[in-house]
């Protein structure tokens, strides 16, 4: 850990204007990711701005009939919020699939979006990593890459974005509201995270000094037919090898609208509009789900230890879509019912 | 009088599920661990580890670090001088052949994460910050860390560390295997595992004038640490006291002094101040581990399912500087009746740190392969896996051709199967289903040694009726405090609350390190003996006091119970134990069990002494996604007298969970391009979480052993893990029809 200074801010304006536009200043929210990275000497901010006292904790309905999630609302408060449970159960389920209750109690919605990859090499300063130090090389490409990406990778980086919450937000077409010195802007969820290309050290399109103020959900919540399938190595406290957020609007047997987002396979939550369009108007049956899965994975590229993810992702897509279709009256979600759902 | 035949009174504690005597201290945070002792002016050390696996340090620059106010010193090979170079000075009780790692000895790097510098400062934070300012340059040399690539480079160790038994083949296995009606041949592999006890390794060295040290160390043996420190630093034993009253788990990692002990003592002596060094979680992956092991099993049987020949080869890694050995293949010659057994154990030296004993070292590995192969043989023969074990059951130890001191594996099979409902199992793989989940039932046998090591105890009874017993043993969470208190209380017939057992102090009488499941038997016997001595003394006094009812009674005719000595023939004839001391006017009675050699040694030598188990497991496997859950486990254990069913059950539960972990989760991944373990934190080094753990039923079958020791105790630390991973693997086969021979069985291998 390096030396740093620390200020606690109470207003948004204060927070934004304290930021000197260089990489040395960082916001700190729940700290569940940033502090770990500082201790491992990976993030080395010289100044921390504590934003936890800003007035960004609310979860409230928007004029457009959607829901606004404050950037500082805790992951657990979001997942257990009545309106989220009722109208966006897909999001509730995805959040509850992540981390552990203790972490979710600390983690904020804004921080969740900006958590960094769990690539082993990124976390170990003894090894080369382009994401940590551009130009050093990527140890994972020829190393132990079991947890790495199969879609949208580059020769510079094959890391994944680790979030569960973001996979549901991608499927739900959320919008990220941000504010910086130059004013406010909105970023479509799909444009928020980026692919590694040749600049693996940049995870998102957020500009230096910009603060996430909220995440906005559109009115459509797909609360009747949704599923979040998380395939992982143990039943809790493990990141997804592959995860799928699936949401359907059904018109009798056929699909009026489909949303599919994948986690654990790319540098960002992976959406494939082509496959979603393909499903539109089709009968909601495994055969069509399989075809959609094939479309999504057709460009996939595996590495030595993660080849299995390609077939696994296909099966997880079919599973998620099938269960979304078959969903009966869902019960309120909490971490216990969540676990029961996944109890074998 | 033997403890096990005292009449049933309130003070018969042996066999009762007594709560941990240190339980309250632990749950209220009052139990202090090595890294929690404080003193004014305590300095803190942070260790810097090497990023490369082999090569040299070419330069060290500490000037930036030393500029930080509050930084005392940076120790490296450049400024640490005058320590012995002699290997023997660094040897510990594990006695590995070779040359022990000597921190800061030279600029040579022998393994990745080798400690290369210690930064000592006034606070932990300062030390940690300053450690990022130390610049060390390295020159990497060629290295090799892959066992798979070097299986042909194995050598057969001529000798090994403490407890190593060179495997002995017998009969003509090759010929028997050729002639067998049915034969299976399979290779198994598992990666490295790191102990990762909850408590990080830590030593707090309290410095007193004239280089007198009091050291709180995380260790499984205070005397081991003490002797290491005195030899390395040339100190007198009387000036080095090592304490370790509480240990937050160790699992074998505390059998050798870890480098934080060396470092904190080095700094304390150099700076003449008290120093603490605590390792980080990442550094918990920098010392020994369960070695990566490749195994090949060949089993041949006749049509009836009788084993005709067994061949078991194991190839493990060791470091280039020490020969770390385990008894991996030996079990294949001992678990079943078979005339022809070929055993082969080899080691491949690699650029890694020396492996280190981890719970059931050798057996966890060897029995895993043997019991998976037995399952494969059962299917090749088309007979039930349990039936195959029963057909090859042996009453004698076939390797030593001698009887067991006791062996009730039969009841483990029977009761385990019955509680599990094994008879309802459908034989064919993939034949049991529950919705989208395939169900599998698998079983395995387990076997471990029942070791006895020389140990002593000291006891003191005072006129208030309080007994204090002590021994330099350890309680690494196993329940030593509790069971020793039980043994002492029952032997003298005192209420539990009047008995205090003390351990983890090098000033106490000798006990070996707590390892190999030997403590209950070894120290337990010493405690029994010393309390029997006290008892005799008390009785002598009781006979002498005025109006004693026992003038003409012999000690065999009285009972010590509930704090009283009572005549067996006439319960009216009774006197309180405390009163005996009070009326005799003695200040205390003190006894040491002097006999370091074990009584009955010759008699015991005629028998094989082992614990056994049978494990039954149910798994459910998601047919499409491959996710595996263990849903039920029954573990039946034969381990002689169970002194405390509660702490014993906890031991077995821990073992079972670790076995599940070994089967499905645990693997420190070694990147051979970098020669480095990569998943060195608990987020990525997976062990089962609560949600992964099923209902576990533990059965202790009756097993009376009159040979092993007067208590009939065999010890329980390791047997709980052995056979669990194989039972899980066999259940996965039964569920999916897939034999996964590479551990852990992650979902990508079955889906
Ligand atoms: C062991 C472990 C397991 C985990 N498992 C999972 C899992 O399975 N699934 C999952 O999804 N997550 C998992 N997590 C990650 C967890 O969800 C994130 O750490 C958490 O969401 C981050 O939120 P935070 O508020 O603590 O962020 P912080 O650590 O405070 O910040 C993270 C980053 O976001 C920036 N930031 C925070 N808020 C804002 C804002 N409003 N505007 C701009 N920048 C901001 C910070 O500057 C920092 O760079 C796990 C974490 C751990 C430690
Ligand atoms: S995958 Fe990305 S994060 Fe991982 S080592 Fe390569 S560059 Fe670094």
């Amino acid at each position: 850990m390096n030396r740093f200074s620390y200020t606690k801010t109470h207003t948004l304006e204060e927070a934004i204007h304290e930021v000197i536009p260089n990489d040395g200043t960082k916001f700190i929210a729940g700290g569940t990711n940033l502090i770990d990275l500082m201790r491992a000497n990976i993030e080395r901010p010289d100044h921390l701005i504590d934003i936890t006292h800003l007035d960004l904790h609310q979860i409230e309905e928007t004029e457009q009939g959607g829901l606004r999630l404050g950037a500082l609302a805790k992951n657990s408060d979001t997942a257990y919020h009545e309106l989220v449970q009722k109208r966006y159960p897909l999001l509730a389920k995805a959040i509850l699939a992540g981390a552990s209750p203790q972490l979710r109690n600390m983690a904020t919605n804004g921080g969740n979006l900006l958590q960094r990859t769990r690539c082993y090499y990124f976390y170990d300063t003894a090894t080369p990593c382009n994401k940590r130090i551009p130009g050093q090389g990527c140890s994972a490409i020829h190393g132990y890459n079991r947890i790495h990406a199969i879609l949208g990778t580059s020769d510079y980086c094959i890391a994944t974005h680790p979030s569960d919450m973001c996979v549901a937000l991608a499927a739900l077409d959320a919008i990220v509201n941000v504010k910086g010195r130059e004013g406010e802007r909105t970023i479509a969820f799909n444009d928020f995270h980026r692919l590694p290309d040749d600049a693996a050290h940049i995870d998102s399109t957020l500009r230096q000094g910009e603060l996430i103020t909220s995440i906005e959900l559109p009115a459509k919540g797909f609360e009747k037919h949704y599923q979040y399938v998380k395939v992982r190595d143990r039943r809790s406290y493990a990141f997804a090898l592959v995860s799928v957020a699936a949401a359907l609007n059904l018109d009798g047997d056929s699909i009026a609208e489909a949303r599919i987002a994948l986690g654990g396979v790319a540098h960002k939550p992976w959406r494939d509009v082509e496959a979603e369009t393909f499903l539109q108007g089709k009968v909601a049956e495994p055969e069509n789900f399989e075809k959609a899965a094939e479309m999504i994975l057709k460009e996939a590229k595996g590495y030595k230890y993660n080849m299995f993810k390609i077939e696994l992702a296909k099966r997880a897509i079919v599973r998620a879509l099938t269960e979304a279709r078959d969903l009966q009256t869902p019960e309120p979600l909490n971490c216990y019912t969540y676990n029961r759902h996944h109890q074998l | 009088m033997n403890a096990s035949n005292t009449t049933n009174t309130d003070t018969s504690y042996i066999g009762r599920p007594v709560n941990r005597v240190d339980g309250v201290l632990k749950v209220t945070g009052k139990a202090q661990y090595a890294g929690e002792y404080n003193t004014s002016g305590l300095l803190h050390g942070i260790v810097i580890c090497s990023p490369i696996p082999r090569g040299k340090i070419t330069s060290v620059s500490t000037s930036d670090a030393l500029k930080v106010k509050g930084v005392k010193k940076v120790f490296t090979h450049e400024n640490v001088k005058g320590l012995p170079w002699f290997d023997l000075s660094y040897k510990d009780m594990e006695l590995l052949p070779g040359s022990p790692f000597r921190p800061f000895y030279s600029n040579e790097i022998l393994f990745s994460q080798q400690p290369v510098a210690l930064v000592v400062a006034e606070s932990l934070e300062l030390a940690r910050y300053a450690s990022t300012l130390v610049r060390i340059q390295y020159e990497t040399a060629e290295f090799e860390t892959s066992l798979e690539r070097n299986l042909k480079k194995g050598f057969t160790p001529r000798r090994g560390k403490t407890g190593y038994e060179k495997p002995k083949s017998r009969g003509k296995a090759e010929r028997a295997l050729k002639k067998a009606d049915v034969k299976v041949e399979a290779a198994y592999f598992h990666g490295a595992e790191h102990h990762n006890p909850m408590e990080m390794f830590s030593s707090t060295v309290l410095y007193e004038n004239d280089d007198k040290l009091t050291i709180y160390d995380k260790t499984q043996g205070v005397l081991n640490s003490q002797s290491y420190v005195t030899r390395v630093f040339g100190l007198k034993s009387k000036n080095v006291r090592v304490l370790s009253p509480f240990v937050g788990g160790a699992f074998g990692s505390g059998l050798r002094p870890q480098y934080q002990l060396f470092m904190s003592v080095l700094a304390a002596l150099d700076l003449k101040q008290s120093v603490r060094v605590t390792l980080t979680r990442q550094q918990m992956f920098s010392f020994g581990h369960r070695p990566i092991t490749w195994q090949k099993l060949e089993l041949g049987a006749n049509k009836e399912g009788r084993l005709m020949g067994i061949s078991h080869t194991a190839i493990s890694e060791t470091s280039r500087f020490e020969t770390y050995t385990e008894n991996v293949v030996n079990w294949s010659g001992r678990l079943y009746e078979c005339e022809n057994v070929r055993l082969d154990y080899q080691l491949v030296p690699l650029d890694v740190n020396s492996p280190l004993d981890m719970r059931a070292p050798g057996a966890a590995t060897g029995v895993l392969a043997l019991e998976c192969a037995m399952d494969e043989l059962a299917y090749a023969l088309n007979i039930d896996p349990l039936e195959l074990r029963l057909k090859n059951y042996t009453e004698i130890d076939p390797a030593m051709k001698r009887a067991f001191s006791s062996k009730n594996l039969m009841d483990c099979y029977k009761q385990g199967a019955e509680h599990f409902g094994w008879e309802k199992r459908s034989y064919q793989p993939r034949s049991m289903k529950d919705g989208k989940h395939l169900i599998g039932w698998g079983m395995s046998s387990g076997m471990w040694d029942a070791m006895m090591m020389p140990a002593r105890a000291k006891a003191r009874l005072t006129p208030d009726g309080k007994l204090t017993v002590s021994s330099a043993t350890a309680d690494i969470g196993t329940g030593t405090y509790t069971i020793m208190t039980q043994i002492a209380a029952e032997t003298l017939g005192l209420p539990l609350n009047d008995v205090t057992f003390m351990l983890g102090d090098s000033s106490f009488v000798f006990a070996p390190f707590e390892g190999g499941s030997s403590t209950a038997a070894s120290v337990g016997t010493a405690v029994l003996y010393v309390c029997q001595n006290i008892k005799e003394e008390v009785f002598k006094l009781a006979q002498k006091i005025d109006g004693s009812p026992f003038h003409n009674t012999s000690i065999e005719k009285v009972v010590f119970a509930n704090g009283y000595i009572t005549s067996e023939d006439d319960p009216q004839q009774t006197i309180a134990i405390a009163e005996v001391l009070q009326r005799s006017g003695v200040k205390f009675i003190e006894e040491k069990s002097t006999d370091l050699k074990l009584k009955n040694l010759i008699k015991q030598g005629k028998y094989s002494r082992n614990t056994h188990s049978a494990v039954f497991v149910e798994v459910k496997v998601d047919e499409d996604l491959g996710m595996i859950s263990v849903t039920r486990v029954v573990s039946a254990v034969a381990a002689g007298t169970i002194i405390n069913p509660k702490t014993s059950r906890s031991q077995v539960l821990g073992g079972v969970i670790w076995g599940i972990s070994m089967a499905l989760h645990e693997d420190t991944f070694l990147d051979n391009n970098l020669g480095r373990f990569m998943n060195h934190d608990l987020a990525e080094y997976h062990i089962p979480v609560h949600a992964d753990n099923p209902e576990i039923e533990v059965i202790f079958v009756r097993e009376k052993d009159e040979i092993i020791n007067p208590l009939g105790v065999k010890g329980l630390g390791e047997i709980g893990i052995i056979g669990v991973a194989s039972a899980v693997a066999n259940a996965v086969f039964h569920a999916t029809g897939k034999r996964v021979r590479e551990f852990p069985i992650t979902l990508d291998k079955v889906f």
Side-chain angles (χ1 to χ4, degrees):
Chain A
M1 207 180 254
N2 60 319
R3 273 172 194 258
F4 61 89
S5 50
Y6 167 93
T7 38
K8 195 179 266 183
T9 51
H10 294 271
T11 70
L12 196 54
E13 292 309 314
E14 217 177 87
I16 290 164
H17 291 287
E18 245 201 75
V19 185
I20 308 136
N22 70 29
D23 286 351
T25 301
K26 283 235 152 221
F27 297 121
I28 179 158
T32 58
N33 192 222
L34 185 56
I35 299 284
D36 274 4
L37 291 166
M38 286 171 68
R39 290 211 321 211
N41 243 346
I42 295 153
E43 299 273 16
R44 304 167 60 94
D46 47 41
H47 186 60
L48 282 188
I49 303 176
D50 184 341
I51 56 171
T52 50
H53 292 265
L54 301 188
D55 188 20
L56 299 170
H57 294 82
Q58 294 83 353
I59 294 175
E60 56 201 4
E61 285 175 286
T62 62
E63 280 158 24
Q64 295 76 28
L67 200 63
R68 191 179 302 115
L69 312 172
L72 290 171
K74 296 291 162 88
N75 279 182
S76 6
D77 292 335
T78 308
Y80 292 129
H81 194 278
E82 203 189 329
L83 290 173
V84 175
Q85 293 245 324
K86 210 164 87 193
R87 296 184 46 199
Y88 307 94
L90 175 62
L91 177 61
K93 196 159 185 183
I95 294 175
L96 292 174
S100 64
Q102 294 90 330
L103 282 160
R104 295 193 296 263
N105 286 343
M106 284 299 289
T108 64
N109 292 337
N112 193 305
L113 266 54
L114 290 169
Q115 62 173 298
R116 308 210 65 189
T117 186
R118 307 305 289 204
C119 170
Y120 314 121
Y121 303 94
F122 175 68
Y123 266 83
D124 186 344
T125 51
T127 68
C129 165
N130 283 328
K131 192 182 269 301
R132 222 178 332 100
I133 300 177
Q136 254 196 349
C138 169
S139 299
I141 288 186
H142 300 292
Y144 189 50
N145 43 37
R146 182 168 177 272
I147 60 171
H148 289 73
I150 51 171
L151 286 164
T153 52
S154 76
D155 291 344
Y156 287 88
C157 180
I158 59 170
T160 61
H161 190 263
S163 169
D164 290 295
M165 180 183 186
C166 291
V167 183
L169 291 174
L172 292 168
D173 266 344
I175 289 166
V176 187
N177 292 321
V178 306
K179 188 166 179 173
R181 288 186 163 197
E182 280 94 62
E184 295 178 14
R185 59 183 189 116
T186 60
I187 308 171
F189 206 84
N190 205 34
D191 298 331
F192 186 82
H193 296 100
R194 57 182 297 283
L195 292 178
D197 301 322
D198 56 0
H201 59 294
I202 308 170
D203 290 351
S204 74
T205 53
L206 197 71
R207 296 177 196 137
Q208 170 59 26
E210 270 181 335
L211 190 108
I212 300 173
T213 51
S214 66
I215 299 151
E216 219 166 287
L217 296 166
K220 240 188 281 180
F222 297 90
E223 69 281 4
K224 289 210 179 66
H225 295 284
Y226 68 88
Q227 183 58 295
Y228 187 72
V229 167
K230 180 172 179 178
V231 186
R232 51 178 150 182
D233 281 324
R234 60 182 171 190
R235 294 248 287 274
S236 173
Y237 200 53
F239 291 93
L241 290 166
V242 166
S243 72
V244 181
L248 293 171
N249 265 338
L250 294 179
D251 182 4
D253 283 348
S254 72
I255 301 168
E257 191 177 3
R259 298 275 179 83
I260 308 163
L262 268 61
V265 296
H267 202 254
K268 60 186 283 188
W270 193 262
R271 277 280 295 273
D272 189 325
V273 181
E274 206 187 321
E276 292 173 9
T277 318
F278 161 81
L279 283 175
Q280 215 168 327
K282 301 278 185 329
V283 178
E285 59 184 12
E287 224 166 84
N288 286 324
F289 299 157
E290 276 160 29
K291 281 189 192 140
E294 288 296 338
M295 289 172 79
I296 296 171
L297 275 304
K298 93 177 162 281
E299 305 273 316
K301 176 180 169 202
Y303 297 83
K304 185 170 177 192
Y305 293 95
N306 73 352
M307 288 292 180
F308 72 96
K309 279 193 177 186
I310 300 174
E311 175 62 21
L312 184 65
K314 290 181 194 168
R315 295 192 192 183
I317 292 168
V318 175
R319 168 72 60 85
L321 286 166
T322 311
E323 290 186 351
R325 178 197 66 185
D326 297 341
L327 190 73
Q328 304 289 319
T329 36
E331 56 181 317
L333 281 164
N334 57 42
C335 56
Y336 305 106
T337 56
Y338 175 82
N339 258 319
R340 210 165 339 118
H341 275 296
H342 285 247
Q343 204 89 46
L344 302 170
Chain B
M1 190 193 306
N2 188 316
S4 53
N5 59 26
T6 37
T7 51
N8 193 21
T9 59
D10 282 344
T11 47
S12 350
Y13 295 107
I14 292 174
R16 277 190 9 206
V18 168
N19 285 341
R20 277 175 195 266
V21 296
D22 50 341
V24 173
L25 287 180
K26 281 190 168 165
V27 298
T28 54
K30 290 197 182 107
Q32 262 184 298
Y33 294 83
E36 297 181 328
Y37 287 87
N38 285 316
T39 179
S40 64
L42 181 70
L43 300 175
H44 298 261
I46 284 280
V47 182
I48 300 175
C49 292
S50 160
I52 65 161
R54 190 172 181 181
K56 282 187 167 37
I57 298 173
T58 51
S59 75
V60 180
S61 163
T62 58
S63 49
D64 286 349
L66 291 169
K67 271 186 215 138
V68 177
K69 199 168 159 275
V71 172
K72 292 283 175 182
K73 188 160 178 173
V74 180
F75 295 86
T76 69
H77 69 279
E78 290 189 343
N79 60 4
V80 174
K81 304 269 185 265
L83 291 179
W85 53 270
F86 202 48
D87 284 340
L88 213 58
S89 304
Y90 294 86
K91 289 267 184 204
D92 54 78
M93 290 179 184
E94 282 271 88
L95 288 175
L96 266 64
S99 175
F101 171 63
R102 288 159 291 181
F104 303 152
Y105 180 68
S106 74
N107 67 341
E108 216 182 324
I109 301 298
L110 302 170
F111 54 91
S112 191
Q113 280 194 301
Q114 172 178 323
V116 293
L118 175 76
V119 182
V120 181
E122 282 165 6
S123 76
L124 179 69
E125 291 75 12
L126 272 177
R128 190 166 55 190
Y129 168 57
S131 76
T132 66
L133 303 177
V134 176
R135 306 270 168 266
I136 303 176
Q137 303 289 330
Y138 301 87
E139 188 183 288
T140 308
E142 243 182 80
F143 60 88
E144 182 55 87
T145 55
S146 165
L147 178 71
E148 293 104 304
R149 288 203 293 250
N150 292 284
L151 288 174
K152 296 228 160 65
K153 297 198 182 140
F155 74 95
T156 304
R158 275 182 299 122
R159 58 201 183 89
K161 65 175 173 63
T162 308
Y164 179 64
E165 284 165 35
K166 232 180 143 186
K168 284 197 198 79
S169 301
R170 61 176 182 264
K172 295 198 166 68
E174 257 128 274
R175 217 176 61 193
L177 283 164
K178 252 190 220 125
K179 285 188 8 203
D181 296 331
V182 176
K183 199 189 139 183
V184 292
E185 186 180 327
Y188 303 88
F189 180 83
H190 73 66
E193 295 172 8
H194 283 80
H195 307 71
N196 278 305
M198 188 106 84
E199 179 200 19
M200 253 69 88
F201 272 86
S202 185
S203 307
T204 305
V205 179
L206 306 184
Y207 183 87
E208 289 156 49
N209 293 339
D210 303 330
D211 291 353
K212 254 187 110 164
L213 307 178
T214 303
I215 305 171
Y216 290 92
D217 186 35
K218 178 189 176 82
T219 175
Q220 288 175 246
V222 281
L223 295 173
N224 199 16
S225 296
Q226 186 199 34
S227 98
Y228 177 83
V229 167
T230 52
R231 279 176 297 116
V232 172
F233 296 98
L235 302 172
K236 294 207 174 73
S237 296
K238 69 172 176 18
N239 287 338
V240 178
R241 181 170 173 209
V242 179
L243 294 123
S244 184
F246 293 100
V247 179
F251 316 114
S253 59
L255 292 175
R256 305 190 72 183
Q258 295 302 350
Y259 58 80
Q260 90 291 340
L261 176 64
F262 172 95
M263 307 229 159
S264 51
V265 172
L266 173 79
L269 291 173
D270 185 272
L271 300 168
K272 303 208 176 295
Q273 251 180 292
S274 299
V275 178
R276 165 150 71 237
V277 178
T278 302
L279 301 189
T280 63
R281 179 58 69 188
Q282 281 68 29
Q283 288 165 344
M284 295 294 283
F285 292 81
S286 64
F287 45 81
H289 51 274
R290 194 190 293 287
I292 301 170
T293 305
W294 179 91
Q295 301 182 73
K296 189 172 154 197
L297 251 298
E298 288 170 79
L299 300 178
N302 68 14
K303 282 200 200 71
E304 287 72 49
R306 298 294 303 254
L307 281 166
M308 308 303 292
I310 298 174
S311 167
H312 189 171
T313 302
I315 306 177
S316 285
E317 39 143 7
T318 186
S319 63
R320 291 208 198 270
F321 47 94
E322 282 177 316
T323 304
Y324 172 82
T325 53
E326 292 182 337
N327 298 325
V328 178
V329 296
N330 311 37
W331 312 99
S332 288
R334 303 185 64 198
L335 202 41
Y336 301 108
E337 194 180 310
C338 182
E339 299 278 299
N340 306 295
V341 180
R342 191 191 142 273
L343 302 175
D344 183 11
Y345 176 65
Q346 298 175 33
L347 296 173
V348 178
L350 297 169
D351 295 302
V352 294
N353 198 351
S354 303
L356 177 59
D357 283 350
M358 182 191 283
R359 205 153 189 184
T365 295
V367 174
L368 167 65
L370 171 66
E371 287 296 288
C372 286
M374 282 295 279
D375 201 69
E376 302 205 24
L377 181 64
Y379 276 86
L381 283 159
N382 208 20
I383 64 174
D384 177 81
L386 175 57
E387 197 186 322
L388 180 66
R389 268 78 171 185
L390 295 175
K391 274 182 200 259
N392 292 286
Y393 196 84
T394 176
E395 291 290 353
I396 65 149
D397 179 350
M400 310 298 288
K401 306 253 180 304
R402 65 188 181 194
F404 287 100
S405 64
S406 62
K407 174 176 174 178
N408 198 2
L409 175 59
M410 189 53 88
D411 273 355
C412 295
Y413 287 138
K414 283 190 187 149
Q415 291 178 31
E418 192 188 308
H419 284 239
F420 186 82
W422 184 259
E423 57 172 38
K424 294 193 224 70
R425 179 178 188 266
S426 91
Y427 179 77
Q428 290 307 326
R430 297 184 76 91
S431 60
M432 291 161 68
K433 243 185 129 167
D434 169 17
K436 57 184 189 272
H437 294 114
L438 302 164
I439 299 178
W441 288 4
M443 62 84 55
S444 172
S445 322
M447 181 178 187
W448 184 248
D449 292 320
M451 286 179 244
M452 284 280 285
M453 305 213 248
R456 280 178 168 171
K458 182 173 151 183
R460 174 193 276 232
L461 181 68
T462 43
D464 53 0
K466 306 266 186 212
L467 177 73
T468 309
V469 188
S470 58
S471 173
T473 182
D475 188 336
I476 54 174
T478 44
T480 313
Y481 276 114
T482 310
I483 64 165
M484 297 308 155
T485 308
Q486 286 176 265
I487 294 168
E490 168 152 338
T491 309
L492 266 171
L494 292 171
L496 218 52
N497 286 340
D498 289 342
V499 179
T500 305
F501 184 74
M502 300 197 299
L503 51 71
D505 185 334
S506 61
S507 68
F508 293 166
V509 292
F510 177 85
F513 49 45
E514 178 163 49
S517 300
S518 63
T519 301
S522 311
V523 181
T525 304
V527 169
L528 174 76
Y529 287 156
V530 80
C531 291
Q532 283 174 344
N533 292 350
I534 295 255
K535 191 167 154 179
E536 280 164 22
E537 290 307 309
V538 173
F539 191 66
K540 275 186 209 150
L541 292 178
Q543 286 180 309
K544 281 190 208 138
I545 53 181
D546 263 0
S548 168
F550 304 125
H551 277 318
N552 298 316
T553 316
S554 71
I555 193 161
E556 286 76 32
K557 290 275 169 211
V558 297
V559 176
F560 278 64
N562 290 332
Y564 287 84
I565 310 171
T566 308
S567 161
E568 254 181 12
D569 301 331
D570 179 3
Q572 303 299 325
Q573 307 282 357
T574 184
I575 182 164
I577 293 167
E579 195 186 329
V580 174
L581 271 76
Q582 288 155 12
R583 287 180 52 194
S584 313
V586 295
K587 286 212 185 76
F588 56 82
I589 301 174
E590 189 171 276
E591 289 288 326
K592 274 188 213 169
S593 58
T594 49
D595 196 2
L596 256 188
K597 275 187 265 121
L598 302 167
K599 295 183 185 170
N600 286 337
L601 209 57
I602 294 162
K603 189 170 166 205
Q604 284 172 358
K606 292 184 186 147
Y607 298 88
S608 285
R609 288 153 288 150
N610 292 88
T611 50
H612 291 88
S613 69
V615 189
F616 297 82
V617 166
E618 176 183 86
V619 299
K620 292 189 180 177
V621 184
D622 186 312
E623 193 172 359
D624 300 322
L625 306 179
M627 283 189 282
I628 303 167
S629 281
V630 176
T631 45
R632 226 151 47 83
V633 178
V634 175
S635 169
V637 175
T641 304
I642 302 302
I643 295 179
N644 186 330
K646 193 169 181 178
T647 52
S648 299
R649 178 170 175 274
S650 296
Q651 281 298 300
V652 177
L653 290 182
V656 167
I657 293 167
W658 205 338
I660 293 173
S661 191
M662 189 177 188
L664 303 180
H665 301 286
E666 231 163 310
D667 187 15
T668 330
F669 190 82
L670 185 54
D671 181 324
N672 291 315
N673 299 329
L674 300 165
R676 188 170 174 90
F677 290 115
M678 284 317 304
N679 50 337
H680 42 56
D681 63 49
L682 287 185
E684 301 302 338
Y685 181 82
H686 282 183
I687 54 168
V689 296
H690 278 304
D692 294 301
N693 286 319
E695 280 293 313
I696 301 167
E697 187 184 343
V698 179
I699 300 166
F700 294 112
V701 304
R702 268 185 68 85
E703 193 178 65
K704 201 166 162 50
D705 196 317
E706 286 172 340
I707 290 151
I708 192 128
N709 53 47
L711 290 160
V713 170
K714 285 184 170 178
L716 262 170
E718 343 267 318
I719 189 67
I721 185 177
I722 301 163
V724 179
S726 34
V728 173
N730 296 338
V732 170
F733 166 74
H734 185 235
T736 63
K738 287 195 183 118
R739 284 282 177 205
V740 181
R741 302 186 183 92
E742 211 171 292
F743 293 85
I745 308 174
T746 44
L747 60 94
D748 46 298
K749 296 173 186 163
V750 296
F751 89 98

